[in-house]
């Protein structure tokens, strides 16, 4: 059994390697997905108190602040069951330890069950949504009042109410500073604002008054990035002084250039999409040079319109989308059977791309993409049926495990049983791998739940009890009150008492197949953002279909 500290470290690993963090790097994304499956199986053996097989995992991670070249991290996991080599490889621990071999008989802290009642979860989700709208309104107010080109604060999606409150406080601080220093103008400048508690830290060396060498850690100093964006910490005492120390005129010039290329990107995207006959074309450009490379790539194709139309004459619409990569190390063209995306390098010659599109390989990639879209459509329809049956606000799936769809079907088949004892109206539900309430208000339900236990567990929570605090006898008695009729309605789920974490208070899950949990919280927040933007009360979302085990992406040199 894994310890609480190990589970915390596992989540730290997943936050760095989750495949959804690498949309532009299909090969690395696939490698991370496959290695996560290997790691899941290894941890599942540990969780089930079996000796695992020796395994080697290789992951790709991004540099500091998500920038720079991707770095490869590898670890060998032996038959001893020690996860220390993994944690050391990622720099999460300093040295290997034998303590992670200890298998605790009962790890109550790992019982990621619903911590509050359903009504509290719905209230949390509503507060999360309101704070998000307040943040957006505050950003627009600052942009309009002070002529700022754009204001971003913290991470793109805040995962908790506490983080949102810190972002709102940072925006308020910025407003106060600009109002009290009228000589400080940010007109025509883009700003990336950091709440002090969430700000990057800087360490500097200095010699103290006694002549001793020492180190000092403090908030990041304000600076102008290559794209002209001003990065600054919302610290009331130093913010104005640090902004005055920047070359804001230079920042405006860089911002103007960056926005010019960004506008050109938008202008050429639709024409090149129509010309190639694909679903969409996009480039996740994060710099002026990346935007420029994409524009030049698209512009050359548009200049060759006659040749492109001649080669693709009579062909039907392709089912895949095109992602243009500006990474010089990326293959010219790559695709994967489980992905609806064709990855194309900005350095790929037009003739090479046209040759691929007109070949059997291009047709095969289109057929694979069509199948992926069909699977996603069926998943979305299933999740929407579940949402309607439970009268929930949102239903999403998080885990990469294909059995999640089976869990959704069982929710649908037994919705009438669940609704008799649990009111989920207005709730945001995530089919994941555990019982938990996220900071965003989402209610996580394990995909392999037992219908006999689900209403009982939520009723316990509604009564102010935590399942992990109950004795085995009390928990079994509570579940038994649901009646044999509810248990008989279990369409294939684990019977009550067969899982250690359900019958004996011991978690039978863990990091095994939990690789989607950390990223799942970010995705749940993203779903909230989409819902707010569309002003819709009902949102459908499904996760991507993952590459099958043992498969590798096709690369066309």
């Amino acid at each position: 059994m894994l310890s609480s500290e190990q589970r915390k470290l596992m989540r730290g690993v997943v936050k760095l390697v989750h495949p959804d963090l690498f949309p532009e790097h299909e090969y690395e994304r696939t490698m991370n997905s496959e290695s996560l499956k290997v790691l899941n199986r290894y941890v599942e053996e540990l969780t089930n108190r079996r000796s695992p097989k020796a395994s080697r995992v290789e992951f790709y991670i991004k540099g500091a602040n998500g920038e720079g070249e991707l770095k490869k991290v590898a670890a060998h996991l032996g038959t001893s069951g020690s996860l220390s080599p993994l944690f050391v490889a990622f720099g999460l621990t300093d040295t290997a330890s034998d303590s992670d071999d200890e298998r605790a008989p009962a790890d109550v802290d790992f019982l990621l069950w619903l911590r509050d009642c359903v009504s509290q979860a719905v209230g949390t989700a509503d507060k999360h949504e309101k704070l998000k709208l307040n943040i957006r309104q505050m950003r627009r107010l600052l942009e309009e009042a002070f002529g700022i080109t754009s204001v971003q604060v913290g991470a793109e999606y805040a995962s908790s109410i506490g983080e949102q409150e810190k972002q709102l406080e940072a925006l308020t601080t910025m407003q106060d500073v600009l109002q009290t220093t009228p000589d400080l103008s940010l007109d025509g400048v883009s700003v990336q604002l950091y709440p002090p508690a969430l700000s990057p830290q800087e360490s500097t060396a200095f010699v103290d008054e006694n002549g001793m060498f020492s180190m000092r850690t403090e908030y990041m100093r304000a600076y102008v990035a290559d794209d002209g964006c001003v990065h600054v910490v919302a610290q009331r005492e130093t913010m104005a002084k640090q902004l005055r120390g920047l070359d804001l005129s230079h920042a405006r010039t860089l911002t103007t250039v960056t926005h010019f290329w960004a506008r050109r990107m938008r202008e050429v995207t639709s024409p090149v999409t129509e010309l190639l006959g694909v679903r969409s074309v996009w480039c996740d450009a994060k710099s002026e040079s990346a935007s420029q490379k994409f524009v030049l790539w698209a512009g050359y194709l548009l200049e060759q319109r006659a040749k492109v139309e001649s080669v693709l004459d009579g062909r039907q619409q392709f089912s895949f989308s095109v992602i243009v990569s500006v990474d010089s190390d990326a293959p010219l063209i790559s695709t994967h059977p489980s992905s609806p995306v064709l990855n194309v390098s900005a350095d790929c010659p037009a003739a090479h791309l046209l040759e691929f599109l007109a070949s059997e390989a291009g047709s095969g990639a289109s057929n694979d993409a069509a199948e992926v879209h069909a699977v996603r459509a069926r998943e979305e329809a299933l999740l929407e049926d579940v949402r309607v049956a439970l009268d929930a606000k949102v239903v999403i799936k998080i885990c990469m495990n294909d059995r999640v769809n089976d869990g959704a079907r069982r929710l649908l088949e037994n919705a009438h049983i669940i609704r008799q004892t649990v009111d989920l109206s207005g709730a945001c539900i995530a089919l994941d791998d555990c019982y938990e309430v996220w900071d965003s208000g989402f209610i996580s339900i394990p995909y392999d739940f037992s219908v006999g236990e689900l209403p009982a567990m939520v009723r316990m929570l509604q009564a102010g009890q935590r399942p992990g605090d109950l004795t085995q006898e009390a928990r079994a008695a509570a579940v038994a009150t649901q009646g044999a009729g509810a248990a008989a309605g279990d369409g294939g789920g684990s019977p009550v008492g067969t899982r250690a974490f359900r019958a004996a208070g011991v978690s039978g899950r863990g990091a095994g197949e939990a690789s989607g949990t950390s990223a799942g919280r970010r995705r749940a927040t993203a779903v909230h953002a989409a819902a707010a933007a569309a002003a819709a009360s009902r949102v459908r979302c499904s996760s991507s279909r993952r590459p099958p085990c043992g498969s590798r992406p096709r690369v066309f040199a």
Side-chain angles (χ1 to χ4, degrees):
M1 187 66 62
L2 303 183
S3 66
S4 299
E5 180 63 21
Q6 286 177 302
R7 303 185 206 288
K8 179 181 178 181
L9 294 175
M10 282 293 296
R11 292 182 182 275
V13 171
V14 172
K15 286 181 179 180
L16 296 173
V17 306
H18 196 279
D20 285 352
L21 299 175
F22 304 87
E24 288 188 347
H25 306 280
E26 188 64 27
Y27 176 76
E28 289 80 1
R29 170 191 173 103
T30 304
M31 288 297 296
N32 284 10
S33 178
E34 296 304 321
S35 291
L36 278 175
K37 291 177 183 178
V38 173
L39 183 57
N40 285 338
R41 288 192 293 269
Y42 189 90
V43 174
E44 186 173 6
E45 292 296 301
L46 296 180
T47 304
N48 293 328
R49 299 178 179 276
R50 295 193 293 262
S51 297
K53 296 180 180 179
S55 303
R56 178 178 173 81
V57 291
E58 296 181 353
F59 295 103
Y60 288 90
I61 62 175
K62 296 184 177 181
N65 299 322
E67 300 176 353
E69 296 183 358
L70 299 185
K71 176 184 176 183
K72 185 177 181 179
V73 177
H76 178 79
L77 304 175
T79 57
S80 66
S82 173
L83 291 170
S84 287
L86 178 72
F87 302 145
V88 171
F90 277 88
L92 300 177
T93 57
D94 295 332
T95 58
S97 170
D98 294 332
S99 63
D100 55 3
D101 277 334
E102 299 178 2
R103 315 280 175 87
D107 185 3
V108 177
D109 290 338
F110 187 57
L111 294 179
L112 299 179
W113 296 46
L114 288 173
R115 293 171 295 190
D116 292 300
C117 65
V118 173
S119 60
Q120 288 176 316
V122 173
T124 299
D126 289 342
K127 184 175 181 180
H128 193 278
E129 193 73 15
K130 291 177 181 177
L131 282 171
K132 188 183 338 174
L133 293 176
N134 289 341
I135 290 171
R136 289 179 179 173
Q137 292 172 356
M138 190 65 173
R139 286 168 50 197
R140 286 196 295 267
L141 187 152
L142 288 171
E143 292 168 357
E144 294 172 359
F146 301 100
I148 304 174
T149 301
S150 66
V151 177
Q152 298 294 329
V153 56
E156 184 176 2
Y157 297 111
S159 60
S160 69
I161 288 178
E163 187 176 343
Q164 287 179 308
E165 290 174 340
K166 289 182 176 64
Q167 291 184 355
L168 197 57
E169 183 179 352
L171 291 168
T172 303
T173 297
M174 181 177 179
Q175 182 185 39
D176 293 343
V177 169
L178 293 179
Q179 286 178 340
T180 56
T181 53
D183 60 313
L184 180 61
S185 174
L186 295 180
D187 183 62
V189 173
S190 296
V191 176
Q192 172 65 57
L193 190 65
Y194 297 92
L198 306 175
S199 163
Q201 303 289 307
E202 289 183 350
S203 296
T204 56
F206 69 99
V207 177
D208 63 20
E209 58 186 9
N210 297 319
M212 300 296 292
F213 179 83
S214 184
M215 297 291 293
R216 176 173 49 228
T217 300
E218 54 191 2
Y219 293 131
M220 171 199 79
R221 293 188 180 90
Y223 69 95
V224 178
D226 292 340
D227 61 357
C229 183
V230 172
H231 293 248
V232 63
V233 178
Q235 191 176 17
R236 192 178 299 273
E237 297 80 8
T238 63
M239 187 175 181
K241 180 180 179 180
Q242 291 202 27
L243 288 174
R244 286 195 181 98
L246 300 177
D247 188 346
L248 296 180
S249 177
H250 182 57
R252 292 185 183 91
T253 301
L254 292 176
T255 300
T256 301
V257 174
T258 298
H259 280 259
F260 167 79
W261 287 109
R263 184 177 70 253
R264 287 294 295 142
M265 279 185 61
R266 293 191 295 269
E267 292 171 352
V268 300
T269 296
S270 294
V272 79
T273 300
E274 181 181 355
L275 178 63
L276 295 177
V278 296
R279 291 175 67 98
S280 61
V281 175
W282 60 281
C283 174
D284 189 16
K286 297 180 179 179
S287 66
E288 176 268 329
S289 60
S291 301
Q292 184 177 6
K293 289 188 69 172
F294 173 81
V295 172
L296 295 176
W297 173 86
Y300 185 77
L301 281 172
L302 293 173
E303 287 181 353
Q304 302 294 318
R305 177 181 295 275
K307 181 178 180 180
V308 174
E309 292 176 344
S310 175
V311 173
L312 301 181
D313 183 39
R315 294 193 62 85
Q316 297 180 346
Q317 184 88 5
F318 291 104
S319 298
F320 51 70
S321 298
V322 171
I323 295 180
V324 180
S325 172
V326 297
D327 185 357
S328 59
D329 295 330
L332 296 181
I333 299 175
S334 66
T335 184
H336 194 281
S338 65
S339 173
V341 170
L342 179 70
N343 293 278
V344 179
S345 170
D347 297 324
C348 179
H352 191 65
L353 175 59
L354 294 179
E355 180 182 356
F356 172 83
L357 294 177
S359 68
E360 292 183 2
S363 298
S366 181
N367 292 336
D368 291 338
E371 175 60 23
V372 173
H373 286 299
V375 170
R376 289 183 177 180
R378 291 193 292 269
E379 288 180 347
E380 290 180 359
L382 173 61
L383 294 174
E384 172 63 7
D385 289 342
V386 173
R387 187 196 66 76
V388 172
L390 297 178
D391 194 26
K393 179 180 180 181
V394 179
V395 175
I396 64 174
K397 57 174 285 190
I398 297 301
C399 280
M400 295 184 284
N401 195 317
D402 290 338
R403 288 193 295 161
V404 176
N405 288 338
D406 295 333
R409 294 186 187 94
R410 291 195 297 112
L411 274 178
L412 184 61
E413 293 167 359
N414 297 280
H416 63 289
I417 298 176
I418 298 171
R419 292 189 64 175
Q420 287 176 359
T421 50
V422 182
D423 181 12
L424 294 174
S425 58
C428 300
I429 299 173
L431 273 168
D432 199 356
D433 65 345
C434 58
Y435 290 103
E436 186 179 14
V437 175
W438 297 344
D439 293 335
S440 61
F442 261 77
I443 300 173
S444 169
I445 296 176
Y447 61 83
D448 58 350
F449 67 89
S450 169
V451 173
E453 73 175 5
L454 182 60
M457 294 306 165
V458 180
R459 288 180 63 189
M460 290 180 196
L461 293 162
Q462 289 175 315
Q465 297 172 315
R466 291 185 59 179
D469 297 335
L470 300 181
T471 63
Q472 177 179 347
E473 294 76 11
R475 201 177 315 164
V479 172
T481 61
Q482 294 302 311
D490 191 342
S494 304
V496 177
T498 61
R499 294 271 186 185
F501 79 104
R502 289 166 186 162
V506 181
S507 175
R509 302 202 58 81
E513 294 186 29
S515 59
T517 303
S518 299
R521 292 172 180 167
R522 294 193 296 273
R523 192 175 310 167
T525 309
V527 171
H528 269 296
S537 61
R538 297 179 177 181
V539 178
R540 296 189 302 246
C541 180
S542 66
S543 66
S544 303
R545 187 184 181 195
R546 303 297 180 186
C549 185
S551 62
R552 293 176 64 87
R554 296 196 298 266
V555 176
F556 303 87

